[in-house]
Amino acid sequence: MRNRYLDLLRLLAIVRVVVYHVTGLATLTLIFPAMSIMFALAGSLMAASLDRSGVPAVGRRLRRLLPSLWVVAVIFVPAMLLTGLTFTPQVVIWLFPIADPPANYWGGLALSPIWYLRDYLWFVLASPVALWLFRRAPLPTLAAPYLLLVAIEVGILPTTSAVLRDFGLYFGAWLLGFAHHDGMLRRLADRVLVPVAVLLAGAGGAWVLTHPGPRGYDLNDIPLGNALWSAAFILVVIGRGPAAAAWVDRNRIFGRLVTVANRRALTIYLWHMPFVVALTPLVGLVGWSPRDPWGLAIRVVLVFLLVGVVTLLVGWVEDVAARRRPELIPGRPRPRPATASPGVPAPRTPEVDTAEIRTR
């Protein structure tokens, strides 16, 4: 059974990402470090998949991840080739982005969230070995990404590799997802978890305050502060989160919204930035300043509306990738079984292959 609390966290993370990209408010990154939360949730799901299916889970995860990207590529790569992008063999990276795929100027802005898929692919590929190591030496394995990031930040390990840097920045969150799946965070006593979370938040906050980036205290510009602050956030919000949240579905509309956001998370993430980029020039045309509150609110609403339209058009690709029955709007309530009339035996429930359920 799905933990609706985790589904709610994913909804909040997606909303926060979209609002941040429209408004640019650095405070949002501190209030809710969305990307680390998304990687932690993905790490927990990946550990569950590996326990269920073993190494073949890697292929299944990639199968669910890539088709939505290919839809984006089919539309945007030809458009970029027609507007200045040079065709080279590197264009095929759009099929499997283990590195940043080539893009022209406007494509680089509109498709900038591709880095998330790049990191996600690497983390999925590394997960079988990482989970094996984590279960044999949890603390050293968990510490490794943070030590890597420290080495990069202080210059001990100079690197220009975005993938290596992001392993230090986000793979720790992915491993904390492993810890969540294995129940380690829940078993951790408050007398241990709380001081560790406070220590991490204090160290991360101090680093942020003493190393502001070009946009001030925006965690996206301060990798080490981001990693430490996010780790503290994950320990508290996920490590001490409830095992269930039935109240999410008490309101049918809100419950459906949470379901839609989770079933269409990748579509929303990939498509929101092109609309952010497309709507930004309209600010000047209508006379709003870039920080006009009314203009920002309208842009947020417009981006969500446009993303909603695209989600209706192509979101079903996520259903196909997951081998679910395609739905225009997922989460339709299942019909309740008919009540048998007195004296009439109830219809037999067909046997279900539980192995099939575990692979979906």
Side-chain angles (χ1 to χ4, degrees), residues 294-314:
W294 180 245
L296 286 175
I298 291 177
R299 285 169 61 198
V300 169
V301 172
L302 287 176
V303 168
F304 275 111
L305 288 175
L306 292 169
V307 169
V309 172
V310 172
T311 300
L312 287 173
L313 294 174
V314 301

Side-chain angles (χ1 to χ4, degrees), residues 130-176:
L131 185 60
W132 184 87
L133 290 172
F134 178 79
R135 286 177 172 167
R136 283 153 182 79
L139 289 180
T141 304
L142 184 57
Y146 298 98
L147 294 176
L148 170 64
L149 186 59
V150 169
I152 293 173
E153 287 294 289
V154 301
I156 297 175
L157 182 64
T159 180
T160 58
S161 170
V163 172
L164 187 62
R165 181 204 62 212
D166 284 1
F167 256 97
L169 175 53
Y170 291 117
F171 199 60
W174 189 274
L175 294 176
L176 286 173

Side-chain angles (χ1 to χ4, degrees), residues 206-224:
W207 188 269
V208 169
L209 290 174
T210 55
H211 296 79
R215 293 174 289 187
Y217 302 121
D218 189 317
L219 287 186
N220 293 301
D221 301 327
I222 314 169
L224 184 56

